[in-house]
Amino acid sequence: MATLKDLRGDQPTWCPGCGHFSIMAGIQKSIIQLGYEPHDFAIISGIGCSGKVSEYVRTNGFHTIHGRSVPVAQGVKMGNPDLKVIASGGDGDGYGIGLGHFVHAARRNIDMSYIVMDNNIYGLTKGQTSPRSEHGFVTKTTKGGNKEYPVDPVSTSIANGATFVAQAFAGDIKQMTEIIEKAIEHKGFSHVNIYSPCVTFNKINTYEFYKERLTKFDEPFDTREEALSAVRAHDGLVTGILYNEKRDDYQEKLGIDFDMQSCVSGDMDEELFHKFKKQFQ
Amino acid sequence: MATLKDLRGDQPTWCPGCGHFSIMAGIQKSIIQLGYEPHDFAIISGIGCSGKVSEYVRTNGFHTIHGRSVPVAQGVKMGNPDLKVIASGGDGDGYGIGLGHFVHAARRNIDMSYIVMDNNIYGLTKGQTSPRSEHGFVTKTTKGGNKEYPVDPVSTSIANGATFVAQAFAGDIKQMTEIIEKAIEHKGFSHVNIYSPCVTFNKINTYEFYKERLTKFDEPFDTREEALSAVRAHDGLVTGILYNEKRDDYQEKLGIDFDMQSCVSGDMDEELFHKFKKQFQ
Amino acid sequence: MRNTIEWMVGGQQGEGVDSTGELFAKTLVRYGYSVSTYKQFMSRIKGGHTNYKIKATDERNYYSGDGIDILLCLDKETLTNHEDVLNANAVVIQEGKETKVETENTPEGKPFTVFTVPLKKIAKDLGNPMAKNMIALGISASLVKLPIDILHSFIEEIFAKKGEEVISSNKQAVLKGFELTNEHISNQINELKTPSEKDHLFISGNEATAFGSLMAGCRFLSAYPITPASEIMEWLSQELPKVGGTVMQVEDEIAGICFAVGASYSGVRAMTSTSGPGLSLKTEALGMAGISEVPIVIVNSQRGGPSTGLPTKHEQSDIQHMIYGTHGEIPRIVLSPATIEDAFYMAAESFNLAEVYQCPVLVALDLGLSMNKMTVPSFDTKRVKINRGKLLTQEEVKEFDETHFKRYRLTDDGISPRPLPGMEHGVHTTSSNEHDESGYISEDPENRINMMKKRLEKVRHAMVQEPFKVSGDMDTSDILFVGMGSTYGMIQESIKQLNEEGVVNASHIHLQQLYPLPIDELDPLLQGKRIVTVENNYNGQLLQLLKQYAPIHDRASSITQYDGNPFTVKSIVKQVKELISWQH
Amino acid sequence: MRNTIEWMVGGQQGEGVDSTGELFAKTLVRYGYSVSTYKQFMSRIKGGHTNYKIKATDERNYYSGDGIDILLCLDKETLTNHEDVLNANAVVIQEGKETKVETENTPEGKPFTVFTVPLKKIAKDLGNPMAKNMIALGISASLVKLPIDILHSFIEEIFAKKGEEVISSNKQAVLKGFELTNEHISNQINELKTPSEKDHLFISGNEATAFGSLMAGCRFLSAYPITPASEIMEWLSQELPKVGGTVMQVEDEIAGICFAVGASYSGVRAMTSTSGPGLSLKTEALGMAGISEVPIVIVNSQRGGPSTGLPTKHEQSDIQHMIYGTHGEIPRIVLSPATIEDAFYMAAESFNLAEVYQCPVLVALDLGLSMNKMTVPSFDTKRVKINRGKLLTQEEVKEFDETHFKRYRLTDDGISPRPLPGMEHGVHTTSSNEHDESGYISEDPENRINMMKKRLEKVRHAMVQEPFKVSGDMDTSDILFVGMGSTYGMIQESIKQLNEEGVVNASHIHLQQLYPLPIDELDPLLQGKRIVTVENNYNGQLLQLLKQYAPIHDRASSITQYDGNPFTVKSIVKQVKELISWQH
Ligand SMILES: Cc1ncc(C[n+]2csc(CCOP(=O)(O)OP(=O)(O)O)c2C)c(N)n1
Ligand SMILES: Cc1ncc(C[n+]2csc(CCOP(=O)(O)OP(=O)(O)O)c2C)c(N)n1
Ligand code: SF4
Ligand code: SF4
Ligand SMILES: [Mg+2]
Ligand SMILES: [Mg+2]
């Protein structure tokens, strides 16, 4: 069985106290507790402080480009249906530049987990407003306060067909780890948004901020409508698995007898050639 | 006062019976009935059969690129707050490649209207599945039926803070035109999704299909929660203004005394230079 | 007896121009002729003039021809637009109140016959108004004495599901065509020589590319619809599931390349296909494939640019973007098949190169090559062997015995052994950041130098089987034409004509590998000659490329066409003559 | 008395290295010296070695220097990393248990003084542990006898909001530094000559670009954060609202350019700023600006590529992408300021060119130029006059008296008069499709030819005020260096050294306009000489560009560096010597 040591990758360079540490630990613990080995997983990350998680957790990792972890991760799963695939990245990465991909992934329902490390700010580029920053939030580029309203990520994935939607908090490792485990085991697209305080640049959405405000739900809501209403009623400040539905994932629905990896060096398949050639005659 | 003739641009090349004709007419009528002149408006469109609307309605038009009408349109409004700005395009354009921009526009609330000509298919490229195609929908690229679930555009904009969200049907020009008029007059981002049958490639979502299934709401819902629930309850097959809220638009919130267009040929402003120069000394 | 025929049908979009053309082409193919075709169409669904051009010869032919022997007009524009290219004694078939035969002259004074037939009425009388184009096809076929059986058997195939009545009325329509010809213009009948039997295919460049990819083991394509590339996605979406693979139409072109990169990372031969606007969108992720050394094939079917440009028109103007596009510097290979059979082989080779060199391979098609069908000799499955490069098996991975597998191991040839995710002992990190051998971020200058050298040198000698085609006498020719893509046939025919007329002694290089440019091999051939690139773009991008590698500036120029249409032999010959006279 | 000093502070990120460096630089600036700086940092927020290098001279200086006279070490790595570049008799200031002065030797045997001081303890004793860097600054200042008042007045400014106590403890810390120097190492004091008074600014390339844009009337910037370009957005987001403009941080780089295109279409001088990955994402919309003839300025602050690459490191490797990126062919202008003052002027000019030629203008910066501050002569507001080109007023539009205004009117110079949306009688259509004069879609071949010629010829003679800088004797020099961007200072100093040593007789061209390349002007200068490009990339992109235009292949080569760091004079000189010896 894999131990924590097996799951340690490169030395983290995050600021001491950064919420991302807990999320990394949560992913590591989940993999261990579910009994997987590092080689069973591929973690596909975007760019940001958060994006480094694919190098810090020792599984197969692909540190992709800003905003594109989700399409790359879906491709990985399509290429090898046996791999456990996690996409991960920041709120800027996933809900800013990557927002479109995220919504399309939700409605496509490929079997993978998407874990967003949401610190309501752009960390790695030194503290600009993110699409998750509060209205009125003051940063370098919004001295007069942010004039936009934040994206509502869990409502968006619930409304667009995601089959597993949850929210967690880096300050509550136990609940977070439970949620990550369930997300990993969920068959289909699971979306976990995790509040992960940026201790260096975000002086508003701190650990205390969340501790004081979060409402925990122990059970998923029965319908998307109820889940949507609860999220809205609490202004998004909820944790727990919000919605969870069993449904064939995309690959099952395709109903193809996948044979993606069998190509080997050598001659082309003559028989196959003649089969396909006919239509051009 | 402008007449229909004033609002006729290039000769439409749409297939006879295409829903896009009605939407074009709806936009033209709204402009006339609201008492505007062609030069008051800029219609910014994407690429698709739908995208041609900016050339067929004679106002200022910008036929942009696939999926980018919404960011260009927002820029246009920012550049000239006095212009009436309409972004328009297809469901592929707006909810496929352009989905991210759409959601960000909803939460940004710049004063413009976004009219989507939703035919549940890619028309101009000859009938592939769109992100609005039904689950199971059969096309050239999905012979076994579409395995994805459609994007829910109105729920998405409602969940992400749009201040005016409506849906209409090209088969009901009267209601559609009323809605477009209100959308144009709404201060802030108004989103109007219009079902617009593609008579050539979409044999499912026909005029009859919608006529039989659409439920009309005459009054907007009071809360976003209620609107979301109603949309879900009817599987998106609703028309009417679903949600409508008064709120300062983005430019009002900025509180800047805009002076964007006053730059004229000639010398740089010496006084201004000295004012800014100080900080580098 | 004739051994060549040029035929065209023209009409409004949505009127069956395409299917009529395709049927006549296939008839000629089945008869045993070598057929080249060109479709012209507009960026709208219904209405607007469209046409389908065919040239058939009893020997291999690479070009759909400049002229017309038989012109089938389904609208008025057809004759107006094409009258000037009618060959002498051409027959024009057109709809009219009553059957009549007249003789007219082209603007240049060539006589042609106008055969007016009440096609609609006759079809209606046959009980099938839809069959009017079949009558015209019958006339066409009878004018060159094609066996009626071929058309009849096609009709049985096409309308199999529609029932006996439809079949029979269509057959009758064809027969009627034969009868009308015999009755009214039998003096125009000019029988086609019987060809020798051949094993050939009638296929488009898009189909050949898709077919070659499938045969090379590609099992995943992710893409977004766009003219003229959509057909690749459409063909593979039909065929890949039969071999355990799949096509995904994804949300945009960025996702198109990212999905393919992901699938390739996990071990599948994967590709994406697109045209200009999509290629531009893929620019960032192309760089990711380059630095992370993930093999990937990107097919770019070029169309009229820039931006949305002329979406249904032909152009070759993405050359520089394919070679230089993306910030920073990556290993890449850019191929450009000259013919449809090369599209098959090079598609297959592109997967080998991508995996052998672990880098992105761009395959450039152009609209002319992509969308038009030609007769080609059936493909040789032995020509390209599948080569997966340094991809490791599970057993091989184990032998390395590493905790964290060094994905970017520095080796002599710059190429690192590659495990796959999922393999025991193969856990590794792939990254778009500059990284050390382990794949972890590194900002160390020395490591940076090593990694840049590794990546950029490894492809320096990458070479496809046939990096360029050469023809003509390299020793004696005084002018060398250089082209790429679908201009192959036109340049060949132009040279033939120029040589025959004694205008020049010309040779021809058709580039099939644009990057890395095989300059060592090209250089001796470029020496001393006047060099003229023939290319479908404004700036002369091929010429600029050659100049970058060879100091040919004072003796090189280009013949360009960028109006959305392919070259004609006539226009090439004319421009060459101008060029030469201007030089004297 | 000395007239130059090279100083560096190094430490871990987040420890105030930057602010300490900046304060010392500003002190020297206020004293009247010309200061060049270079910051090195890593792609992480806290931890990791970073440093701030300064070279100050009493005459204009363009380069932060190879050596170090005073090295302030806030961590152990600082000395290890930089010991080899200490100048003879350098002073190293480091933290230690007790104050002591030792002499050591660099690897090359140059003596230097290590001044160990218990900075932390002293600061704590002063009641302000945060003031430790101030003590070290005091030592630094006293080693060159800078007036203490300058530091004291800065302290008053910086800590104005923190209250009297903080101010006083920091002042004391500086004083303490002066005392420590006097007490322990007075023999090392080497007073700086008093400079003459100058009207100059201390400013970075990013700030100068932003400032120049604002002065040119730019009132809208839409962008997405990215190192090393973010500063442009950040500066303008502070300053634009003061003049009725605004900055929008939007959802991605595609939106960044699209918003700006929209704003420009509606009549505002608009821009977007980015670095490599963002530039690649903007590739498609760049084409839209080109074909739709919407003026737009794109600033690309280059960093280490490809892909995510080395995000906080210096490189010049986007040259080819800026010139050739995007499918199809568009009018564009690519500028590359050589110095910070050129960044100001060329930013301003770029808006003129964009509007005069109605096309996208790309302004290339590089990390070295973007992020580092230098002293520059205050800018001349008379040098660049605002020119809005053929932008029409409401009155002028009315005179055309058209129902639908012909936005793409064919004119002699290819540039069409431009109304704005909102203007009466100015209703017009703008399009990314090929269009006719009215802006409506056109697939007509003749129209296509006219429009391509219009767009691509109109910029052929576009020229910035100073398309390149020339220095050295063009008639007698046997070697010509060609560079661009922030290598200007290093090349100049290298040439000085090479000329002084009698190694070569060198001249220097620093390109400021990359496209259209001013080849007619350059050509005579390139004749006959050995050409050596000096560039921060692997492939020698500048060299490839020159070769494309001039047959210099047998006498041209490049000196490249692509490890993420800027050139040093030492390394250029060394490589030139190697090059020359290898040639003999
Ligand atoms: C295409 C592109 N644009 C911009 C950047 C610069 N960039 C790097 S990380 C980042 C934002 C990071 O924010 P987030 O995703 O929230 O992650 P965090 O650092 O907060 O964990 C940006 C804008 C980039 N690398 N690529
Ligand atoms: C970047 C890019 N990708 C693809 C295309 C090809 N394309 C043109 S229109 C279109 C889809 C049109 O569908 P939709 O937006 O629903 O409009 P409709 O034609 O149905 O009105 C596509 C994929 C393009 N022009 N640009
Ligand atoms: S900057 Fe913020 S998000 Fe980044 S590592 Fe530091 S605390 Fe974490
Ligand atoms: S293809 Fe469909 S959407 Fe396009 S014009 Fe025809 S009916 Fe309308
Ligand atoms: Mg973040
Ligand atoms: Mg559509």
Side-chain angles (χ1 to χ4, degrees), chain C residues 38-92:
Chain C
Y38 197 92
K39 288 185 274 194
Q40 261 191 314
F41 59 109
M42 294 177 82
S43 183
R44 55 193 280 187
I45 303 304
K46 289 197 175 154
H49 180 73
T50 175
N51 62 61
Y52 193 113
K53 173 73 204 293
I54 292 173
K55 180 173 185 176
T57 51
D58 67 344
E59 284 183 355
R60 181 65 202 275
N61 116 46
Y62 291 98
Y63 169 48
S64 59
D66 282 10
I68 298 172
D69 297 312
I70 302 173
L71 178 63
L72 172 45
C73 307
L74 303 182
D75 66 0
K76 295 275 164 218
E77 271 172 273
T78 305
L79 185 54
T80 331
N81 290 354
H82 303 285
E83 190 177 356
D84 57 331
V85 298
L86 291 176
N87 294 332
N89 304 317
V91 177
V92 171

Side-chain angles (χ1 to χ4, degrees), chain C residues 11-50:
Chain C
Q12 294 293 299
Q13 283 181 189
E15 281 196 297
V17 172
D18 237 54
S19 52
T20 305
E22 178 118 349
L23 190 52
F24 195 61
K26 283 190 175 161
T27 305
L28 286 158
V29 170
R30 226 169 248 191
Y31 184 59
Y33 265 62
S34 178
V35 175
S36 286
T37 68
Y38 197 92
K39 288 185 274 194
Q40 261 191 314
F41 59 109
M42 294 177 82
S43 183
R44 55 193 280 187
I45 303 304
K46 289 197 175 154
H49 180 73
T50 175

Side-chain angles (χ1 to χ4, degrees), chain A residues 20 47-50 66 90-93 97 117 119 121-125, chain C residues 284, chain D residues 224-227 253 277-278 281 303 308:
Chain A
H20 297 353
I47 300 296
C49 294
S50 45
H66 193 45
D91 50 321
D93 190 82
I97 187 167
M117 303 159 85
N119 54 15
I121 206 159
Y122 286 166
L124 192 60
T125 44
Chain C
E284 195 207 1
Chain D
Y224 190 74
I226 191 162
T227 308
E253 284 90 347
L281 281 172
R303 67 185 206 184
T308 314

Side-chain angles (χ1 to χ4, degrees), chain A residues 25-46:
Chain A
I27 295 174
Q28 288 165 328
K29 273 194 200 151
S30 301
I31 294 176
I32 295 167
Q33 288 174 17
L34 292 169
Y36 289 104
E37 295 296 328
H39 67 259
D40 296 327
F41 272 80
I43 300 184
I44 317 299
S45 68

Side-chain angles (χ1 to χ4, degrees), chain C residues 250-278:
Chain C
V250 292
E251 60 267 26
D252 62 18
E253 286 90 347
I254 297 177
I257 184 168
C258 286
F259 269 77
V261 163
S264 172
Y265 160 79
S266 76
V268 181
R269 289 198 146 187
M271 72 190 288
T272 185
S273 53
T274 192
S275 185

